[in-house]
Amino acid sequence: MKMKNKRDFLPQQVYCLAFFTVIIQLCLGDISYSVLEEMKRGFVIGKLTEDLGLNVEALRARRARIDFQESRRYCDIKLETGELIVNERIDREQLCGQRPSCALNFELFLENPFELHRIILEIQDINDNSPVFPRDVLKREIRESADRGARFSVDEAHDSDIGINSVKSYALAANDHFVLAVHTSADRGKYCEIVLENELDREKQAEVSLTLTAYDGGTPQRSGTAVIQVTVLDANDNVPVFTQAVYKVSLDENAPLDTVVVQVTANDKDEGPYGEVTYEFTHVPDKAKNSFAIDNIKGEIKVTGPIDFEEAPFFEFRIRAEDGAGQAAHCKVLVHITDINDNAPAVLIKSLNTPIPENSPSGTEVAIINIQDKDSGTNSKVSCSIQENAPFRLKPSIKNYYSLVTEGILDREDVSEYNITITVTDEGIPPLSSSKTLQLRISDTNDNAPIFSQQSYSTFVTENNTPGISICSIIASDPDWLQNGTVSYSLMSEDINGAPVASILSINRDNGVIHAVKPFDYEKLRNFKVHVVAKDSGSPQLSSNVTVSVFVTDQNDNSPQILYPVQSGSSFMTEVVPKAARAGSLVSKVIAVDADSGQNAWLSYQIVKSTDPGLFTIGLHNGEIRAKRDISDSDAMKQNLVILVKDNGQPSHSTTCSVYLLISDNLADVPELKDISTRENNTHLTVILIISLAAVSFFFLTFIVVIIAVRFCQRGKRRLLLDGAVAIPSAYFPTSYADVVGTGTLRHSYNYDAFLTTGSSTSDFKFVRSYNENTLPADCKINKNGSPELDVQNGTEESLQVLQWRKAQDVS
């Protein structure tokens, strides 16, 4: 009869059983479920959230997933509800065959933190298979001499289901000769024999057809039928007998073809055709049909196809031995497959976190690795390692799981990427190994401050520069990546000469080029320092700074300044030259300074115009006016000299001054002084004259003794007196004027004899006095009424380095 389809409907009570799952929490953290086979896809097996104590959000956040070692995924997780559901058709008979217990083992994988739960899914059998006889027609030959009560074995029916769903009973259709006897044995289960109830008569009926039905114990009950075709023969009173009821053998996997697994032997004491025994399989597992065959005559079971321990670790065969008269015997053959090391271990990456921040602490989990070896026993034991020159190590975890963790400090600037080769080797003979390479990238963190190309910078800029001109370029590099390595520049807020740095310099934020905001003036600001800050764009932001020294170089942008003699509008200064002056006598000195420096401040003097060109000469570098020849009575009393003072810059700057000289031994002999005094003070003549006369009288009475004494002491030294230095008041020098020898200007220590008018046209005295900067407090000018007038000049404010005098001295 034709077998019923596996997809026959199930009664309501079976569906109720299917929806009922049993959850057992094992002491090792394992979870056990039970489910009926052939459940539809999406059927809920259990509630993982309840069993794990997690909510649905945590289950999704920790990337829960099912890991099967087999290629097929029978179950999956429904992340929306946290339920374990059926993903593929589960056929218990295909998975486990006749084994009484059938379970699927897989693993539930959680991350952050890493957890591994072993799930055992017991597959419960349902009655989806009908009993099946080896053949639809079972032929038996029975001698007509058989006695009543004689028993004849019948091939048992096979049901792929187990337990109550397997074969439970047989039924024989009503007939005139045979009844059915059903037996139970440990190795065969339910089997039956036909018992001769009424003697056979070959002459009356040569063949008898019997309908045998096998029933299982499932609900609904399934059945299978076969026709027993009995041929009536002459008597055969012996049945073949196997030498062993059960044959147990071992076979190496991958055994070559035609390897003899075992030879079964059955003996029949009959002779002739009744004693000739033939062998055949009565039941062969589906996985063994293409791998084994039996020799019908010899009873040898041979290998005819590939044997793989990982697919089927053992086989069970049922062998039937039949003699020539149809008598048969049965035995069982158990073949245990021996594992050999034919599978290299596999490296499976279950989780990989890349890129890895370079500031990750030691022990940070990078990857979760699972090692699988399909072999068993020693052949499945593995060792796992990585190369030694990488800052990572393998940390054993649960079962064959390893965690790849950091060891030591990661620095993206040194190594931005690692190729980690994981090598795994089993303990089989010979050992097999495999490897897998992980590419781990290191992500950047802002751990490096910008670094300047120099420890400090110096730059020179010429004064009177164009505003906005570039004066220096600052370069800083940052080995970090992207924005962490993007450098911007700024000037540190500070004051330079009382002015904010932003009013003097600016810096390009992107390229570090420093620009001058306004022109520089060397005479006001010769050098200064600023601090440049370089910042990256990381978080937190890192910075460093460097000092930039700016030196302003001088340009010849200042003309010489005449300090002495003072050039004023209405007043004038006159130097008195004695008539007895000899050639080479120092009669006066032009003092000039230049605010510039260096060769721009080197001054030279020359007379460009004079009343008597051959009478006086001037020192080229020191400005000293000396008599070129002896003064005679024929020389004009009043001598005017125009002096040109020129610097050494390019282009050169110059200025002129007038020097007034009077050749006389007595100021009272000068008529011009009388006229000047009379003309300028007509309106206040009386008052001024009284004051002047009183002052002159006071000075006369006070110093006449001193003057007589000096004249007496110096009577023989008149020439020495004439060569003495003219006293120049300190007020002519700038407050910051540097007293440096060899600059071309007059030193403070020089003293000159000044022959000044007394302002009285009636005096016969010539006042000769040695002055220095302590006794002469102001510049003396002769005013229009002939009286001495004090004129205080404070000079310029610049601080100058005067170098011309030393050079002038060296030249002279």
Side-chain angles (χ1 to χ4, degrees):
M1 294 180 65
K2 197 171 183 180
M3 291 195 319
K4 294 183 180 178
N5 195 311
K6 285 186 179 181
R7 299 296 178 268
D8 291 346
F9 70 95
L10 298 176
Q12 184 177 0
Q13 58 268 31
V14 177
Y15 272 111
C16 293
L17 179 62
F19 282 99
F20 177 77
T21 58
V22 179
I23 303 174
I24 303 174
Q25 293 291 340
L26 301 180
C27 62
L28 297 177
D30 294 347
I31 304 174
S32 180
Y33 295 95
S34 178
V35 67
L36 297 176
E37 65 170 327
E38 302 295 342
M39 288 289 93
K40 293 181 179 180
R41 185 175 183 180
F43 174 78
V44 178
I45 299 173
K47 195 81 171 179
L48 289 174
T49 52
E50 296 177 0
D51 300 333
L52 296 176
L54 299 173
N55 55 36
V56 175
E57 290 74 16
L59 206 63
R60 284 198 297 264
R62 296 181 64 183
R63 299 171 62 189
R65 56 187 181 275
I66 296 298
D67 184 28
F68 278 86
Q69 294 187 358
E70 295 84 4
S71 58
R72 301 184 64 180
R73 296 179 58 85
Y74 294 100
C75 301
D76 206 346
I77 299 175
K78 189 175 183 181
L79 294 177
E80 291 80 7
T81 60
E83 298 170 333
L84 181 67
I85 62 173
V86 174
N87 189 52
E88 289 187 24
R89 172 178 171 263
I90 303 175
D91 188 351
R92 193 203 67 81
E93 289 74 28
Q94 183 179 359
L95 290 173
C96 305
Q98 293 294 308
R99 280 183 286 176
S101 176
C102 183
L104 283 176
N105 295 323
F106 53 94
E107 292 159 344
L108 173 63
F109 190 85
L110 297 172
E111 294 183 14
N112 298 322
F114 172 64
E115 287 185 24
L116 185 70
H117 295 274
R118 184 184 178 192
I119 298 180
I120 302 173
L121 181 62
E122 287 286 338
I123 309 301
Q124 302 293 330
D125 184 48
I126 64 172
N127 193 26
D128 59 340
N129 292 283
S130 300
V132 179
F133 287 92
R135 292 176 299 278
D136 292 338
V137 177
L138 306 176
K139 294 182 178 182
R140 294 292 178 267
E141 294 180 351
I142 302 176
R143 285 188 174 276
E144 62 180 353
S145 58
D147 297 330
R148 292 177 61 183
R151 296 174 177 270
F152 304 93
S153 64
V154 179
D155 293 341
E156 69 267 28
H158 175 72
D159 195 331
S160 299
D161 299 321
I162 61 171
I164 194 173
N165 295 324
S166 63
V167 176
K168 293 301 178 184
S169 63
Y170 293 87
L172 186 66
N175 62 89
D176 297 330
H177 300 283
F178 296 91
V179 294
L180 191 65
V182 180
H183 305 282
T184 303
S185 67
D187 59 332
R188 295 181 64 182
K190 291 285 185 179
Y191 69 96
C192 62
E193 296 175 328
I194 54 174
V195 181
L196 184 62
E197 187 178 47
N198 297 315
E199 295 179 352
L200 297 173
D201 187 354
R202 182 178 180 279
E203 288 71 27
K204 291 182 178 181
Q205 189 176 2
E207 291 184 354
V208 177
S209 293
L210 305 173
T211 301
L212 178 62
T213 304
Y215 297 93
D216 62 21
T219 303
Q221 191 176 50
R222 292 176 176 268
S223 62
T225 60
V227 174
I228 303 175
Q229 189 71 38
V230 177
T231 302
V232 181
L233 300 175
D234 289 339
N236 178 23
D237 54 353
N238 289 292
V239 177
V241 177
F242 281 98
T243 57
Q244 296 176 223
V246 178
Y247 293 84
K248 295 181 179 180
V249 294
S250 295
L251 177 67
D252 289 341
E253 69 170 322
N254 300 329
L257 299 179
D258 293 331
T259 298
V260 177
V261 180
V262 67
Q263 183 177 18
V264 297
T265 303
N267 298 318
D268 194 322
K269 295 180 180 180
D270 294 326
E271 294 181 356
Y274 300 116
E276 295 178 357
V277 179
T278 59
Y279 304 91
E280 63 179 349
F281 288 124
T282 60
H283 170 66
V284 180
D286 292 338
K287 294 181 179 179
K289 288 181 179 179
N290 297 323
S291 300
F292 298 93
I294 189 169
D295 188 310
N296 294 333
I297 304 301
K298 296 180 180 180
E300 293 178 343
I301 300 177
K302 295 183 178 181
V303 176
T304 59
I307 307 298
D308 192 349
F309 172 85
E310 288 71 40
E311 290 187 4
F314 70 93
F315 295 94
E316 179 181 330
F317 304 102
R318 293 186 183 276
I319 310 298
R320 180 174 181 271
E322 184 178 358
D323 62 16
Q327 297 287 354
H330 297 82
C331 74
K332 182 187 293 184
V333 177
L334 300 179
V335 180
H336 293 272
I337 305 301
T338 303
D339 182 44
I340 64 173
N341 194 29
D342 62 339
N343 291 283
V347 180
L348 304 178
I349 307 302
K350 297 299 183 180
S351 178
L352 180 62
N353 298 321
T354 184
I356 311 162
E358 64 176 328
N359 61 349
S360 299
S362 181
T364 301
E365 188 175 78
V366 177
I368 298 174
I369 301 158
N370 179 226
I371 309 300
Q372 295 182 4
D373 194 320
K374 293 182 179 179
D375 296 320
S376 64
T378 304
N379 296 331
S380 65
K381 294 181 180 179
V382 297
S383 60
C384 190
S385 63
I386 61 174
Q387 65 263 37
E388 296 182 355
N389 58 347
F392 299 92
R393 64 182 175 91
L394 283 174
K395 179 181 177 182
S397 187
I398 305 169
K399 202 177 177 181
N400 284 336
Y401 281 87
Y402 294 84
S403 294
L404 181 65
V405 298
T406 59
E407 184 178 48
I409 299 174
L410 302 177
D411 191 347
R412 189 204 66 83
E413 288 71 42
D414 289 339
V415 182
S416 62
E417 185 175 279
Y418 290 91
N419 289 322
I420 305 300
T421 300
I422 302 169
T423 303
V424 58
T425 305
D426 62 25
E427 297 182 6
I429 299 176
L432 300 178
S433 64
S434 61
S435 62
K436 193 179 188 77
T437 299
L438 299 181
Q439 189 178 52
L440 303 177
R441 291 183 293 109
I442 309 301
S443 63
D444 185 48
T445 58
N446 193 28
D447 58 346
N448 290 281
I451 301 173
F452 289 96
S453 59
Q454 298 176 209
Q455 293 184 350
S456 62
Y457 291 83
S458 297
T459 183
F460 294 84
V461 58
T462 305
E463 68 172 328
N464 302 321
N465 55 285
T466 304
I469 189 173
S470 170
I471 66 172
C472 183
S473 180
I474 307 300
I475 299 176
S477 61
D478 193 321
D480 291 324
W481 184 246
L482 297 178
Q483 71 271 12
N484 293 334
T486 302
V487 180
S488 60
Y489 303 87
S490 62
L491 293 173
M492 188 178 293
S493 179
E494 52 191 332
D495 289 345
I496 299 174
N497 259 11
V501 68
S503 65
I504 298 175
L505 298 177
S506 67
I507 189 168
N508 188 297
R509 176 182 176 85
D510 299 322
N511 57 24
V513 176
I514 298 178
H515 300 272
V517 174
K518 64 180 182 179
F520 294 106
D521 188 349
Y522 173 84
E523 288 70 41
K524 293 182 179 179
L525 184 64
R526 297 192 176 187
N527 62 78
F528 58 92
K529 293 182 179 180
V530 296
H531 295 87
V532 176
V533 180
K535 297 181 180 180
D536 58 28
S537 300
S539 179
Q541 194 175 55
L542 300 179
S543 65
S544 58
N545 60 71
V546 71
T547 301
V548 180
S549 299
V550 181
F551 297 92
V552 181
T553 59
D554 185 45
Q555 274 191 336
N556 193 28
D557 58 344
N558 290 283
S559 298
Q561 181 182 358
I562 305 299
L563 300 181
Y564 184 85
V566 176
Q567 306 294 305
S568 60
S570 59
S571 299
F572 64 91
M573 179 177 287
T574 302
E575 295 282 356
V576 178
V577 181
K579 293 181 179 181
R582 303 300 181 186
S585 298
L586 178 65
V587 297
S588 185
K589 179 176 176 66
V590 176
I591 301 174
V593 293
D594 195 313
D596 296 319
S597 66
Q599 67 177 8
N600 294 329
W602 296 351
L603 302 181
S604 60
Y605 304 83
Q606 66 184 66
I607 299 174
V608 295
K609 185 178 180 181
S610 66
T611 304
D612 187 349
L615 183 57
F616 297 100
T617 183
I618 189 169
L620 178 63
H621 298 295
N622 56 21
E624 293 179 349
I625 302 174
R626 294 179 182 273
K628 194 173 183 181
R629 57 178 174 78
D630 293 342
I631 296 177
S632 62
D633 293 336
S634 62
D635 292 327
M637 178 182 295
K638 184 177 174 182
Q639 295 286 331
N640 294 330
L641 304 180
V642 178
I643 309 300
L644 174 68
V645 183
K646 182 172 66 173
D647 61 28
N648 196 40
Q650 293 294 331
S652 178
H653 292 276
S654 63
T655 187
T656 60
C657 68
S658 296
V659 178
Y660 301 97
L661 302 177
L662 291 177
I663 301 175
S664 175
D665 289 333
N666 190 345
L667 296 178
D669 296 336
V670 184
E672 289 83 355
L673 296 177
K674 302 175 182 178
D675 298 338
I676 294 172
S677 177
T678 303
R679 288 195 302 268
E680 292 182 352
N681 296 282
N682 289 329
T683 57
H684 303 89
L685 180 60
T686 303
V687 177
I688 295 175
L689 184 59
I690 294 172
I691 294 174
S692 300
L693 289 174
V696 172
S697 298
F698 174 76
F699 282 111
F700 172 74
L701 292 175
T702 304
F703 296 108
I704 188 169
V705 178
V706 176
I707 294 173
I708 295 172
V710 172
R711 277 183 171 252
F712 178 78
C713 293
Q714 295 182 350
R715 180 176 301 173
K717 301 178 182 178
R718 181 178 183 83
R719 185 173 184 84
L720 178 62
L721 177 62
L722 293 176
D723 290 340
V726 180
I728 304 301
S730 61
Y732 288 112
F733 296 93
T735 57
S736 59
Y737 176 68
D739 185 13
V740 180
V741 177
T743 61
T745 59
L746 185 66
R747 291 189 297 165
H748 290 185
S749 58
Y750 270 57
N751 292 320
Y752 288 83
D753 287 333
F755 296 90
L756 304 177
T757 178
T758 64
S760 173
S761 58
T762 61
S763 176
D764 294 328
F765 289 93
K766 177 176 69 175
F767 293 92
V768 179
R769 186 179 176 188
S770 178
Y771 289 97
N772 57 40
E773 60 183 358
N774 295 322
T775 60
L776 187 61
D779 179 25
C780 292
K781 294 183 181 180
I782 301 175
N783 57 19
K784 294 182 180 180
N785 61 7
S787 300
E789 181 184 42
L790 297 179
D791 183 16
V792 180
Q793 299 291 335
N794 291 327
T796 61
E797 296 294 330
E798 295 85 349
S799 176
L800 304 175
Q801 293 183 354
V802 184
L803 302 178
Q804 292 89 335
W805 175 252
R806 179 177 292 174
K807 291 187 176 294
Q809 292 293 93
D810 293 342
V811 172
S812 61

